[in-house]
Amino acid sequence: MSVDLLLAPAGSGKTEYAVERMRALLAAEPFAPILVILPNQLQVNEFRRRLAKAGGVLGAEFVTFYTLYAQVLARANQPLPRLSDPVQIRLLADIIGELWEEGQLIHYANLRTRPGFITVVRNLFQELKQARIFPEDFSSAVKGLGPRLEELATVYSAYQDWLQRENWADAEGQGWLAAIALEENPDFGRELRLLVVDGFDEFNPTQLEVLNLLADRARQCLVTFTGQVGQPCLVHQRFQRAREALNASLGKHLEPLAVPLSPKRSMALAGIEANLFESSNTSLDPLNAVEFIEAQTRAEEVRAALRWVKARIVRDGVEIPEIAILARDISAYRPFVEETAAEFGIPLRILGGLSLGENPAVNALITLLELPISDWPQRKLIESWRSPYFDWSFIKISADDAAKLEIAARQGRVISGLRQWDEAFDLLARQKNDAEVIADEEVQPPTLEPDRSYELRRKFEGFVEYLMPPARGTVHEFVSYVEDLIGEDPMLASRFAPGSQESLQSLNVVECACQNPATTERDVAALRAFKDVLRGLVLAEATLGNKELSYADFFADLIGAVRAAKYSAAFDSGVLAADVLEVRGLSFESLVLLGLSEGEFPRVEREDMLLWESDRAVLQAHGLAIESKLLNDEPSFFYQAVTRARQRLLLTRPYLAEDGQPWEPSPYWQEIKRLFDHPTIRIVRPEDPLPAEEAASLAEYILSTQQFDEHSIRGAALLSSRLDREPRGAYEGDTSELARVLAARYNQDQGWSASRLEAYGTCPFFFYISYALELEPTTPPEEGFDIRMLGSMLHQILENTYRQADDPGNPEECLKLLPGVADHVFATAPSDYGFRPTPLWTLQQQELIRILERTVTALAQVSVGYLPRYFEERFGMGNPSLVLHTSQGDIRLHGYIDRLDVGPDGRLRVVDYKAGGSAITSKDLADGHRLQLPIYALAARDALGLGEISGGFYWHIQKAEASQLKLERYEGGLERTFETAIDHIAKHIAHIRAGEFQPYPPSGGCPSYCPASSFCWRYRPKSY
Ligand code: SF4
């Protein structure tokens, strides 16, 4: 055995030396077997790429330790199946569940079903196995230390027992077995002429044992290490530990080779490598090789960094694979990097994988699959009908149907449950059109015509029948059901789990995902990863044994596996974006290091959740090779990060945190600054103008040159009109350009209700949105009745009570009748008015009767000498309309008058019931906000000819009091109220015809039912 150790600082050409050594050997002995072991697949790919660039070699094989283990076992005829991630998670969940059922798991009982718990248990077992700690050793070391550790030992033993019993292995177990196979087969590896081990900064005991055996058999072995001869410095600490472990494993002290290396690094970067964290008074010249950017936010930081990257590619001609963007944790930057790279047109290769559960296509599938378990909730169900990932054409569900279903759900007050959906469709078919009762109250919600509802019901029932899973089944059966729903992947071969004999019509999910080119690659990769998860579940079942389970249990397993799974879109090339730890051993011509602010890098080292530092000390005292988690490796990681750059390095950091507070720089940022003589720090703020030559996208160029297109100019005009104190212009309700159309639409033939005219008086834009554009507010159905329904019920009960009384002026008789009348109305109110009663409905009925009793009594007290005579009198709509002769020509009005009382002098008093509690004063009439009362008085007198009017008021039912506004007490008298109302009506109509719909929020705040309240720039909340 000959083991050569090449010890040299980072980036000094160790890999180049290894490549040259391989080439020299092959020149002398063509086809000599060479094995190169590298830390991960990314480095395998990069090593191959560099070798190809250097001319390539035949006969060299590149592996990670895991691939090597599998190869050794295959050669020893022990090709044990290896647990995939989903199978391992499922196995551990099963083992933990069984131990809990047997009463062996008490300390972790509450955590046992959490997917996060299974993942940390799996990570612990991986660490124990990497340290070659056998279950019996772990059990004996923790015996007597309490259930926290003893229960972990129980799970570990059960897990390992299962693997041995069933002849399966996990990744680390394959390493154990590969080491045994190597020992039992002394010929394995003897053919190797050269073994190269490159790019490692740590070895676990299994790797050391395998390495020891192979190094002993290979003719030559070359191990490269970062470091220096002599006293190790802080940044080499981690490499030094790995080197000592290797020496101990080989049983000898390896002396470093003395070979000349030729580093290809700029002077400034070489200076950083040599002086980082050293106390020397260095004063380097950055010479354009090291740059610093401080940006206001992470988003601005990424934008500046990617602008720099684009300049390297476009101006300096740097090849894309020679550039990398690193961060200690790239996930915090991921959305910004993806978005900005897409804008700048920079191809990207992000390492680390995306969370499968967060992919929109997978999310849509999960939502759909959950519907039967969550009892068909209306919002998620309608979302599924609308989802672009599902093709519902085979049951003829369209986007239009989703809108209709939403209306049906709102009308039927569907929250969830097939019974509620059924009731909603029943209601649609027979709903009493109560528009008459509430026409004058407020804006009406959209309704669905009964004959259209039959078709919708059929589609809904088809959907439920299609989606309904079997109540119980095996995992294989449930996976077949899910695979049938998803359908074929047009770009892949047949499925793993064959569909049922009579396959369902599929939703063609993959094909739908391909309809959007911008997201196809991402979504197809995620859907394939989702199918892998399904296959993992089938495999787990095949391995763990067939068990019947409920659909809910299957779905819980599926969700757990999806949450634990990652996926990567298959980008072959692009600028690499990765965590610092992923790229150890690689180098790049140009490098960006993001996030050098306090707390980001260095990261605070933390204890392991399950195996604390004190537990580790106990295990070490028992001679077990477990390491501390607090090794102070952050300086070494930083050294590895900055030494990845060969020619240019950009360091960046945000200077404001997400809450807008100043964010201090990281000590590592300060350390690099310290090494340079007057480093220039570029500060990037969003308000600073960007020179046109620096623009990295069309959007940036337009912004810097102010060459806005018509859309941008329109956007700017819109914003400026919204910021204006006084609303004006086309974007703020001025539709005077449409005056001709509006005048034709609202011509002399147009009938008006008081509520429409009041809507204009409340806020012109409210009228425009509600009545001119006929937009509807879409509020999700909730349990219980709303103010509109309450108003209708109260109106109905009062009307029926007074009508049924022999003497409606006798309060005692009315109060006697009232409970029975109310009960009659309440009995059918949910279906009549379309609401879903809450559990409080019975109590609410009693309370409403109390309110009505109070109101009847109070109304009688202010009605001495008056006799209620007319109820719900209709004008217009078949009866004579009220026709006003105004400056705008004749205006025809229609509506219902709640009540007319005859006074002692034979004249009539108008009473208009209000369910809401807002105060109504004379000013409301003077300002044109409240016009109903004088209109009704005029209608009773002039249109219906019922008699002269003496006065009138609004009656607040719930407060049991009259409004402050009383027609007879209005300044100028009754006739003045008529003139005021007619004056306002004429003005409102003139403005409507002229297209004046500027938003003016009412002084008391905007009505909750204004359909514009969710987007109106001038919305003002109600003040109480
Ligand atoms: S939200 Fe207020 S200001 Fe806007 S349209 Fe509605 S009522 Fe008018």
Side-chain angles (χ1 to χ4, degrees), residues 524-736:
V524 171
L527 289 168
R528 286 178 185 165
F530 184 75
K531 288 194 165 202
D532 284 344
V533 167
L534 293 174
R535 287 168 194 146
L537 292 176
V538 172
L539 198 55
E541 183 188 52
T543 314
L544 305 173
N546 269 11
K547 238 183 358 188
E548 236 196 27
L549 70 171
S550 69
Y551 177 68
D553 287 343
F554 163 76
F555 183 76
D557 282 354
L558 177 64
I559 279 286
V562 165
R563 286 199 186 130
K566 301 260 182 201
Y567 75 99
S568 305
F571 301 110
D572 294 335
S573 65
V575 171
L576 182 71
D579 286 354
V580 161
L581 303 190
E582 301 263 10
V583 297
R584 287 173 283 179
L586 304 181
S587 75
F588 303 90
E589 202 271 357
S590 297
L591 182 93
V592 179
L593 184 55
L594 301 166
L596 289 176
S597 285
E598 180 72 39
E600 290 276 295
F601 201 172
R603 260 207 197 159
V604 180
E605 291 185 335
R606 292 183 204 285
E607 280 204 290
D608 187 79
M609 281 165 67
L610 294 180
L611 205 59
W612 303 346
E613 286 302 297
S614 53
D615 306 332
R616 288 166 188 269
V618 170
L619 297 185
Q620 284 162 3
H622 277 77
L624 303 179
I626 196 88
E627 279 196 331
S628 161
K629 284 277 180 187
L630 311 177
L631 292 168
N632 190 26
D633 277 339
E634 290 293 306
S636 180
F637 294 149
F638 184 64
Y639 168 82
Q640 292 188 63
V642 289
T643 53
R644 297 310 90 210
R646 295 198 302 274
Q647 296 303 320
R648 297 192 66 166
L649 171 66
L650 172 66
L651 302 167
T652 66
R653 76 175 202 91
Y655 63 81
L656 286 186
E658 273 163 27
D659 60 1
Q661 297 298 312
W663 199 350
E664 294 302 315
S666 142
Y668 293 172
W669 168 273
Q670 306 288 33
E671 171 62 13
I672 301 278
K673 260 174 66 185
R674 180 187 71 82
L675 299 177
F676 289 94
D677 196 14
H678 306 303
T680 309
I681 316 278
R682 199 144 62 82
I683 313 275
V684 176
R685 294 173 304 178
E687 63 269 29
D688 291 338
L690 181 74
E693 60 276 16
E694 293 295 319
S697 67
L698 183 61
E700 285 199 344
Y701 180 77
I702 289 169
L703 205 63
S704 65
T705 57
Q706 305 279 302
Q707 291 178 8
F708 298 118
D709 65 0
E710 57 175 305
H711 303 292
S712 313
I713 292 167
R714 209 177 296 154
L718 195 154
L719 190 60
S720 117
S721 74
R722 282 179 167 181
L723 293 174
D724 209 338
R725 276 181 76 83
E726 199 51 34
R728 59 182 128 228
Y731 302 113
E732 288 290 270
D734 179 354
T735 62
S736 48

Side-chain angles (χ1 to χ4, degrees), residues 763 765-766 999-1002 1006-1007 1010 1012-1013 1016 1018-1020:
C763 169
F765 199 61
F766 168 36
Y1000 287 107
C1006 299
C1010 171
S1013 57
C1016 176
R1018 299 190 188 259
Y1019 170 78
R1020 187 184 297 162

Side-chain angles (χ1 to χ4, degrees), residues 846-859:
Q846 293 164 5
E847 178 59 19
L848 290 177
I849 290 174
R850 267 195 293 277
I851 287 171
L852 287 166
E853 284 170 348
R854 266 204 312 275
T855 237
V856 167
T857 307
L859 193 48

